[in-house]
Amino acid sequence: MADIPNRQHYLDFDVQGASWVLRLNGVDLWSRGSTGLCSSSLPVNDLVKKGENTVSLVHVPTRKLDPETGAFVLEHHDHFGAEIRLQAIARDGSREEIHLLSVRYEVDGGPLKRLPQPLVGGEFVTETAHLKTEGDLRGTFSPIEDGAILVLGSGQSDRAETLTARFTVDDDLPGDFFWEDKAVPLQDTREMRAGLRRAYQDFYKLVEQGRGDEILELARPLWARAGATLAGGKSAEDYIGGKDGLRRFSRNPGDGSTLAPLGISDDPLGDSLEFMADHRLVRIRPDPLRWRFPPEQNRNDMRSSLVFFRDAEGSWHLGDIVRN
């Protein structure tokens, strides 16, 4: 593991007019099923790496009823816009920021246009002392015909478009993620789906039987990276909070919730799959590992968003626990 990073990095984003998922280096960071404005700033030291990185916005613009066929079709519209920025904050409080993506649709001026200036005003910045992007604030546009698929938390999927920007980070961050030299590209077959189900079922048994030490070992690469990069050099054990933190992955976490039956369909072909990182990572949506609260608490199920990969020998491994 690398040294404690000198800077904490945050991805700031404003997106409206589409359903979307935002990915860093191919892995889900955040998603949204509604088309209203969403603005946020999220810490991402665990998802960026020293050197070259990518950020992608996979989105479904909107739907319009075709009066001739009565079918809904996808259409660009002038309500869609997206701006993504990367911010680095040093230990002394100094800040750097670059603009990674800044686009909108304009019906009268072509399908996709760069915003004339940042949403917060000022000028676009593409390079600082430790951050750099290619400078094409449109990113790389891939149309619907390129085959991108957006899978939402409900499991609903649709043809989508992808906007991707590349950037480099010069900091004391780890390099490649632990799964990058192990994960093989996945083909969507019945055999692959059956293996993925077994991976979920095996993890579920660990939770059901209270085998927190084994869960810690499975997730150690994830929590060790997060502890080192997000939490000032903590170990995996300290980052998750030891046995108290691992209680979150038990039958009764102590917050009133109870582990629910694993939420998968009767037939593997009925699972809604979301592939990431060039088809090397995959998860089932909706996330099947969940805890239910009693009706009087009036709370939604708590879900754990597990992501898996398969190695060259055919074994399945936990690849990530994504944020939403």
Side-chain angles (χ1 to χ4, degrees), residues 195-213:
L196 175 61
R197 279 179 159 232
R198 287 193 296 271
Y200 273 100
Q201 289 163 348
D202 290 345
F203 194 98
Y204 182 88
K205 288 178 182 177
L206 297 181
V207 176
E208 187 178 37
Q209 297 170 8
R211 294 152 66 182
D213 289 343

Side-chain angles (χ1 to χ4, degrees), residues 166-297:
R166 291 173 174 81
F167 62 96
T168 57
V169 173
D170 181 15
D171 208 337
D172 297 322
L173 289 163
D176 289 345
F177 304 98
F178 82 98
W179 49 264
E180 287 196 70
D181 63 348
K182 302 179 180 69
V184 298
L186 299 167
Q187 298 293 326
D188 189 357
T189 65
R190 179 179 286 275
E191 181 273 334
M192 186 280 294
R193 286 172 172 258
L196 175 61
R197 279 179 159 232
R198 287 193 296 271
Y200 273 100
Q201 289 163 348
D202 290 345
F203 194 98
Y204 182 88
K205 288 178 182 177
L206 297 181
V207 176
E208 187 178 37
Q209 297 170 8
R211 294 152 66 182
D213 289 343
E214 294 178 60
I215 293 174
L216 173 62
E217 290 309 310
L218 289 177
R220 182 176 294 279
L222 317 175
W223 293 336
R225 186 182 185 109
T229 59
L230 290 173
K234 287 185 176 180
S235 66
E237 289 88 346
D238 290 339
Y239 176 76
I240 197 59
K243 292 188 179 298
D244 288 340
L246 284 170
R247 191 178 180 186
R248 173 67 262 170
F249 295 92
S250 65
R251 177 184 287 274
N252 300 109
D255 56 3
S257 65
T258 302
L259 181 67
L262 191 63
I264 52 179
S265 60
D266 294 334
D267 183 355
L269 293 180
D271 293 334
S272 180
L273 303 186
E274 180 186 18
F275 292 93
M276 307 174 205
D278 297 322
H279 267 240
R280 291 179 295 164
L281 300 177
V282 64
R283 66 166 163 168
I284 297 174
R285 304 299 304 270
D287 297 298
L289 182 62
R290 67 196 192 282
W291 290 258
R292 288 175 176 161
F293 292 90
E296 60 269 20
Q297 289 200 23

Side-chain angles (χ1 to χ4, degrees), residues 4-315:
I4 299 174
N6 291 317
R7 281 159 286 278
Q8 286 291 329
H9 297 80
Y10 296 84
L11 201 70
D12 304 337
F13 54 90
D14 304 276
V15 185
Q16 69 177 10
S19 300
W20 51 269
V21 59
L22 188 61
R23 290 177 177 161
L24 265 175
N25 292 314
V27 179
D28 284 11
L29 172 66
W30 207 252
S31 62
R32 181 110 168 172
S34 60
T35 60
L37 175 64
C38 179
S39 299
S40 189
S41 177
L42 298 176
V44 292
N45 263 28
D46 56 330
L47 289 177
V48 296
K49 55 187 178 180
K50 185 178 181 67
E52 184 172 294
N53 299 261
T54 61
V55 60
S56 297
L57 181 69
V58 184
H59 64 280
V60 175
T62 189
R63 289 184 176 276
K64 177 183 178 181
L65 187 64
D66 187 326
E68 295 185 1
T69 66
F72 283 97
V73 295
L74 297 178
E75 180 187 67
H76 300 150
H77 63 95
D78 56 5
H79 297 298
F80 173 78
E83 182 168 289
I84 304 172
R85 305 168 296 278
L86 181 69
Q87 186 176 183
I89 304 178
R91 298 173 194 171
D92 63 6
S94 59
R95 296 170 181 256
E96 302 175 30
E97 183 180 79
I98 57 173
H99 294 82
L100 300 175
L101 204 62
S102 192
V103 296
R104 69 181 177 196
Y105 286 122
E106 289 188 347
V107 175
D108 296 332
L112 189 67
K113 276 195 171 183
R114 164 182 164 169
L115 290 172
Q117 65 180 42
L119 293 177
V120 295
E123 300 294 327
F124 288 119
V125 176
T126 58
E127 184 173 0
T128 64
H130 302 95
L131 308 174
K132 183 179 180 180
T133 186
E134 295 174 334
D136 179 7
L137 298 178
R138 285 180 43 160
T140 301
F141 179 60
S142 58
I144 291 173
E145 288 75 15
D146 282 0
I149 299 293
L150 175 68
V151 183
L152 298 173
S154 63
Q156 178 183 354
S157 62
D158 213 334
R159 295 176 303 157
E161 300 175 337
T162 303
L163 289 164
T164 297
R166 291 173 174 81
F167 62 96
T168 57
V169 173
D170 181 15
D171 208 337
D172 297 322
L173 289 163
D176 289 345
F177 304 98
F178 82 98
W179 49 264
E180 287 196 70
D181 63 348
K182 302 179 180 69
V184 298
L186 299 167
Q187 298 293 326
D188 189 357
T189 65
R190 179 179 286 275
E191 181 273 334
M192 186 280 294
R193 286 172 172 258
L196 175 61
R197 279 179 159 232
R198 287 193 296 271
Y200 273 100
Q201 289 163 348
D202 290 345
F203 194 98
Y204 182 88
K205 288 178 182 177
L206 297 181
V207 176
E208 187 178 37
Q209 297 170 8
R211 294 152 66 182
D213 289 343
E214 294 178 60
I215 293 174
L216 173 62
E217 290 309 310
L218 289 177
R220 182 176 294 279
L222 317 175
W223 293 336
R225 186 182 185 109
T229 59
L230 290 173
K234 287 185 176 180
S235 66
E237 289 88 346
D238 290 339
Y239 176 76
I240 197 59
K243 292 188 179 298
D244 288 340
L246 284 170
R247 191 178 180 186
R248 173 67 262 170
F249 295 92
S250 65
R251 177 184 287 274
N252 300 109
D255 56 3
S257 65
T258 302
L259 181 67
L262 191 63
I264 52 179
S265 60
D266 294 334
D267 183 355
L269 293 180
D271 293 334
S272 180
L273 303 186
E274 180 186 18
F275 292 93
M276 307 174 205
D278 297 322
H279 267 240
R280 291 179 295 164
L281 300 177
V282 64
R283 66 166 163 168
I284 297 174
R285 304 299 304 270
D287 297 298
L289 182 62
R290 67 196 192 282
W291 290 258
R292 288 175 176 161
F293 292 90
E296 60 269 20
Q297 289 200 23
N298 194 28
R299 295 177 62 181
N300 294 329
D301 290 356
M302 182 73 70
R303 296 181 181 266
S304 188
S305 302
L306 308 178
V307 177
F308 293 92
F309 70 89
R310 189 173 64 186
D311 63 24
E313 286 71 44
S315 299

